Amino acid sequence: MKPGLQFDDAGRLRHLLTIEGLSRQTILEILDTAESFLSVGEREIKKVPLLRGKTVVNLFFESSTRTRTTFEIAAKRLSADVINLNVSVSSTSKGETLLDTIRNLEAMHTDLFVVRHAESGAAHMIARHLPAHAHIINAGDGRHAHPTQGLLDVFTIRRYKGEFNKLKVAIVGDILHSRVARSQIHALNALGVAELRVIAPKTLLPTAVEKLGVRPYTRMEEGLDGVDVIMMLRLQRERMQGALIPSEQEYFNLYGLTPEKLALTAKDAIVMHPGPMNRGLEIDSAVADGPQSVILPQVTYGIAVRMAVMALIMGGSAEPAGGRR
Amino acid sequence: MGLVIKGGHLIDPAHGVDGKKDLFVDDAGFVAGVGKAPAGFKAGKTIEARGRIVCPGLVDLRARLREPGLEHKATIESEVRAAVAAGITTLCCPPDTYPVIDTPAMAQMIQSRAWRFELAFIHPLGALTQGLEGKRLTDMEALDEAGCVGFTNALAPITDTLVLRRAMEYAATLDLTVFLHAEDPWLRNSGCVHEGESGTRLGLPGIPEAAETVAVARDLALIEQTGCRAHFCGLSSARAVAMLAEAQKQGLPVSADVTAHHLHLTEHDIGDFNTQCHVRPPLRGSQDRKGLRKALKTGVIGAICSDHQPHEPDAKLAPFAQSEPGISGLGTLLPLTLRLVDEKLLTLPEAIALLTHKPAEIIGVDTGHLGVGATADICLFDPEARWILTEDKLVSRGHNTPFQGQEFRGRITHTLIGGKLVFNLDSAN
């Protein structure tokens, strides 16, 4: 294992590929920087000149609306020039390899790549072949990692719950296929939550999941007991085809978050979801739109967190100095 | 005029030879004497072997040469050169070439192309079913006549158990050996790594151990039913070798090999998506590696092979699951086996036996030993030479190996085929 891949020789974050390997201190630095960016979105002129003259390419090999949009807004608020490329319908369909696509964009002097790809490890592979001046942020690779999502989730938790060390957290749903879950697990463990649980049927729990530092549960009633934070995951509707679950109805009955199941958690528990939600499949609308839901604030915070990550890896400094003028 | 290999330490496990002995080769390329010259022997040439181990040329049960069909990866010529530079004088190539080795013409073509270079001997494995499609049997008798030493469907699964049963029965009729890759295609699904800790961490789809054990159980039941002689290729899990040991105890005619890399690497060597560790079957856990090593020691596994799969660089320059599986393994077959001697798992003669006469017996070819009258396929190595595997030391066209940069002890210095010197490290450098 090379812990160095996302750090430069001075130990500063150069790329963001995964939360695994980030120290508590680095994560807190990102969260603190994001706090200072939150106000930018509330101003009349929502821009700071931190990345003026830099070129950011949003390279999405997998379709996405929310993540791509929030990255785009984040980069624009930092005054960068942003290009959006939906590669699933351009080069790869002409047989160009992933590395060729990257090399061509690199030849256009791109400063930052924001990459989403359907294959685990795609961002690592690109990072190994980038020249020294270019940076990459992993916007989701296969089932492996979605680090900015993990960061915005812990940012949200900190805003609502404060200290991490007393919190019991449960992640519910398709852990097996979820890059979001893996990133949440690394972030929450680095920040030292009191207890971290994952809840899913055995078909959606990866082998040896406990080695990631979580306690697995197969029954919602047991897993939700007394938790302070519930992080729901999206269930892809095509999972029925792989014989992973029998039907949407049975999944909702067993693992859907309803007001009744929510009543088992701590009284002031918060409910999170990375979106897009399947109402009536993994979450009941009464919960999604209820008073304990923080699902929309997650989206708002996502912009500030992505601004913080871009500023940190490209500026190298935790203080968004240009933003204070 | 003959040849004498003088002053070396001769190890010939098939004949229990392990000591300082000169080796005499006649001018027809056969071993003429061991220890002392036969009457009237005249040495025209001498190879000075002091400080060297002299042993039979190595026999590799599985090496893909990529020709015909994938010449952008490697060719027969490039890979037989790599073989002799690694001390390998006999190798078997699986039938999954393009076109498939399912006709006598294909089997003969590969052997005659190889023989043009007068380097290593190539023994093809014939396809068990036409086009490896798992539907119709091949002309096994004709393929056997054409030089195929065994029959296999390679990595293409035979999902129809009735076809597999018939193939085994037919092979048993002709007293032929069936080579099996034990992998249940449904349980493997789209997996690319061991289903375990690393795969979970990296979010890579896993291949469960049961993909191997389910297939081994099925195959063993059919072997018992049909009486077919069978060989399992590259077992990867401790449970599968335990099942094999049990079957051998009951007297079933089954053997197995293991790849050199599965004896050294585990799922954890994948680190952060090192595609050089993408192999099939996958690298499994440390308990599995332990089980494979134990089976080697107890004789349940009878051979170590390279499972050589040379690739062009681009094949590994992709996200892990999309990279092509396989290691370019000829050059590390002996060094990795000698590491097992350093690690005190095997004695040097045991290690050499697993690379010479034991695999030769599995394919029923009279090689891998140096008795008087045997073909003089010989390799010499310096057991103390320490060297680092760098790019320039890779003779194979495929440079895809996770062992690059590692230090090894023991290095091939000479290789002879039929008494003719085909590799000499001094002149290669």
Side-chain angles (χ1 to χ4, degrees):
Chain A
M1 211 192 306
K2 284 185 212 145
L5 191 55
Q6 48 184 358
F7 298 95
D8 66 14
D9 292 338
R12 282 175 313 206
L13 204 59
R14 189 181 152 219
H15 307 299
L16 181 63
L17 304 175
T18 170
I19 294 177
E20 187 187 10
L22 297 191
S23 66
R24 175 187 156 84
Q25 195 193 343
T26 304
I27 295 173
L28 290 177
E29 189 187 2
I30 295 169
L31 302 191
D32 292 344
T33 309
E35 282 296 340
S36 68
F37 279 131
L38 258 189
S39 61
V40 175
E42 291 156 10
R43 294 188 208 159
E44 185 97 42
I45 296 170
K46 300 180 176 57
K47 259 189 200 281
V48 290
L50 220 53
L51 299 186
R52 192 161 55 194
K54 302 279 186 191
T55 305
V56 176
V57 172
N58 271 337
L59 194 54
F60 278 62
F61 293 86
E62 221 184 36
S63 61
S64 150
T65 312
R66 181 173 335 224
T67 303
R68 209 210 61 215
T69 310
T70 51
F71 266 111
E72 183 177 350
I73 292 173
K76 284 183 169 162
R77 288 194 181 158
L78 293 169
S79 309
D81 297 313
V82 188
I83 315 290
N84 288 312
L85 281 181
N86 197 351
V87 195
S88 50
V89 293
S90 69
S91 323
T92 42
S93 54
K94 295 175 195 157
E96 188 174 63
T97 69
L98 172 56
L99 218 48
D100 280 335
T101 306
I102 293 289
R103 281 172 179 153
N104 276 283
L105 293 166
E106 194 181 283
M108 302 172 199
H109 302 290
T110 301
D111 299 293
L112 171 67
F113 292 97
V114 175
V115 180
R116 168 167 291 189
H117 198 281
E119 289 291 339
S120 301
H124 277 77
M125 205 250 337
I126 294 167
R128 285 198 180 94
H129 295 94
L130 279 185
H133 68 84
H135 305 269
I136 174 171
I137 294 174
N138 182 5
D141 63 325
R143 308 175 182 182
H144 172 239
H146 191 354
T148 57
Q149 179 71 45
L151 290 167
L152 78 88
D153 289 336
V154 292
F155 183 84
T156 308
I157 293 173
R158 190 171 74 161
R159 285 218 126 216
Y160 284 89
K161 291 283 168 192
E163 285 301 298
F164 289 94
N165 57 14
K166 292 194 183 69
L167 295 180
K168 286 188 191 171
V169 181
I171 305 172
V172 185
D174 186 359
I175 313 289
L176 177 66
H177 299 94
S178 179
R179 54 191 171 214
V180 172
R182 284 173 177 78
S183 287
Q184 289 168 337
I185 289 168
H186 289 306
L188 290 165
N189 278 330
L191 292 169
V193 289
E195 197 180 328
L196 184 52
R197 306 171 177 179
V198 292
I199 310 172
K202 286 190 170 185
T203 48
L204 298 177
L205 276 176
T207 310
V209 68
E210 64 286 350
K211 293 276 171 62
L212 295 175
V214 297
R215 189 182 291 188
Y217 286 81
T218 53
R219 299 186 65 85
M220 280 284 259
E221 290 72 15
E222 291 166 16
L224 288 183
D225 184 36
V227 300
D228 304 291
V229 178
I230 309 136
M231 307 174 92
M232 300 304 294
L233 297 173
R234 175 181 166 79
L235 183 82
Q236 306 279 345
R237 288 185 187 266
E238 58 268 21
R239 297 296 174 227
M240 260 66 73
Q241 269 134 43
L244 289 158
I245 53 167
S247 70
E248 295 189 10
Q249 200 176 4
E250 179 143 322
Y251 185 83
F252 181 73
N253 287 342
L254 288 173
Y255 298 98
L257 188 61
T258 55
E260 295 73 34
K261 288 187 194 126
L262 184 58
L264 302 167
T265 62
K267 213 163 48 199
D268 53 353
I270 56 169
V271 175
M272 303 172 68
H273 193 296
M277 277 186 285
N278 292 305
R279 290 169 183 264
L281 177 52
E282 69 255 2
I283 192 161
D284 190 311
S285 284
V287 175
D289 305 327
Q292 286 167 270
S293 165
V294 296
I295 295 169
L296 289 176
Q298 281 179 272
V299 180
T300 310
Y301 299 155
I303 297 169
V305 167
R306 284 169 180 135
M307 285 171 79
V309 171
M310 287 181 181
L312 280 174
I313 68 173
M314 295 181 73
S317 154
E319 272 297 293
R324 297 288 162 84
R325 270 183 273 157
Chain B
M1 297 287 255
L3 163 77
V4 57
I5 299 171
K6 212 175 156 189
H9 183 123
L10 181 66
I11 298 184
D12 179 15
H15 298 103
V17 176
D18 178 11
K20 231 180 169 139
K21 277 187 166 62
D22 295 342
L23 191 67
F24 300 88
V25 177
D26 66 25
D27 51 9
F30 295 99
V31 175
V34 178
K36 58 176 196 270
F41 185 85
K42 279 204 190 107
K45 246 165 71 180
T46 302
I47 293 176
E48 181 54 60
R50 201 170 306 152
R52 303 277 154 83
I53 302 290
V54 179
C55 70
L58 312 184
V59 179
D60 188 354
L61 288 182
R62 197 158 56 261
R64 283 172 173 83
L65 310 174
R66 304 302 194 190
E67 184 183 342
L70 295 169
E71 287 87 348
H72 63 290
K73 294 184 185 291
T75 62
I76 289 174
E77 182 178 7
S78 71
E79 301 317 286
V80 288
R81 280 192 201 291
V84 294
I88 298 162
T89 54
T90 297
L91 39 84
C92 296
C93 61
D96 50 359
T97 46
Y98 304 95
V100 168
I101 308 175
D102 58 2
T103 58
M106 275 300 298
Q108 280 160 352
M109 192 269 282
I110 284 169
Q111 292 169 94
S112 65
R113 277 201 195 177
W115 196 235
R116 279 207 313 244
F117 309 109
E118 298 189 28
L119 294 166
F121 288 96
I122 311 278
H123 296 287
L125 293 168
L128 195 58
T129 60
Q130 292 178 28
L132 301 175
E133 284 172 357
K135 290 178 186 144
R136 301 178 58 185
L137 304 187
T138 52
D139 292 354
M140 292 188 212
E141 204 273 336
L143 285 161
D144 179 45
E145 281 292 308
C148 291
V149 291
F151 292 83
T152 179
N153 228 52
L155 293 166
I158 298 182
T159 49
D160 185 333
T161 36
L162 180 60
V163 172
L164 183 58
R165 177 199 166 167
R166 297 265 151 85
M168 285 183 178
E169 280 173 338
Y170 195 75
T173 308
L174 301 173
D175 194 27
L176 303 171
T177 308
V178 172
F179 285 59
L180 300 161
H181 287 263
E183 183 186 75
D184 182 287
W186 291 284
L187 286 170
R188 179 173 83 96
N189 195 13
S190 58
C192 62
V193 293
H194 172 55
E195 188 180 290
E197 202 181 327
S198 281
T200 291
R201 195 187 125 245
L202 297 171
L204 290 169
I207 305 172
E209 172 198 79
E212 185 164 280
T213 51
V214 163
V216 167
R218 176 192 80 161
D219 294 350
L220 285 174
L222 290 172
I223 290 162
E224 189 171 8
Q225 167 115 38
T226 61
C228 163
R229 188 170 60 240
H231 176 80
F232 285 99
C233 300
L235 290 179
S236 66
S237 70
R239 279 213 175 77
V241 291
M243 292 162 77
L244 178 73
E246 192 53 41
Q248 286 174 341
K249 214 190 284 174
Q250 287 167 14
L252 288 193
V254 281
S255 56
D257 66 60
V258 63
T259 76
H261 44 268
H262 277 92
L263 294 167
H264 292 280
L265 303 176
T266 67
E267 55 164 335
H268 298 291
D269 289 290
I270 294 167
D272 282 330
F273 303 101
N274 180 1
T275 53
Q276 302 296 353
C277 289
H278 183 189
V279 292
R280 184 174 162 199
L283 301 171
R284 296 197 185 271
S286 45
Q287 282 306 312
D288 293 303
R289 179 176 60 181
K290 208 168 145 191
L292 294 173
R293 286 180 165 212
K294 187 178 151 212
L296 203 60
K297 181 75 186 170
T298 56
V300 170
I301 291 176
I304 303 173
C305 72
S306 72
D307 200 10
H308 179 63
Q309 296 179 44
H311 284 298
E312 78 285 14
D314 282 349
K316 293 287 186 184
L317 286 178
F320 194 93
Q322 290 180 341
S323 67
E324 291 183 56
I327 288 174
S328 178
L330 294 175
T332 46
L333 178 60
L334 178 70
L336 287 174
T337 305
L338 292 177
R339 231 184 230 184
L340 300 172
V341 179
D342 278 350
E343 291 170 12
K344 308 255 183 289
L345 178 75
L346 303 171
T347 65
L348 187 54
E350 281 171 344
I352 290 174
L354 288 160
L355 295 175
T356 57
H357 79 98
K358 287 187 166 183
E361 279 160 21
I362 289 167
I363 52 173
V365 172
D366 181 21
T367 184
H369 67 92
L370 294 173
V372 172
T375 306
D377 298 341
I378 302 164
C379 73
L380 275 66
F381 64 92
D382 178 349
E384 297 304 327
R386 287 180 184 278
W387 58 289
I388 291 171
L389 180 62
T390 47
E391 188 107 28
D392 58 300
K393 293 198 181 72
L394 286 160
V395 186
S396 164
R397 179 87 58 86
H399 288 190
N400 49 302
T401 167
F403 298 105
Q404 237 187 83
Q406 291 196 12
E407 192 188 58
F408 290 99
R409 192 161 78 144
R411 192 157 182 209
I412 293 288
T413 59
H414 300 76
T415 305
L416 294 92
I417 300 246
K420 192 177 139 208
L421 189 64
V422 292
F423 175 76
N424 183 348
L425 182 63
D426 297 329
S427 55
N429 281 349

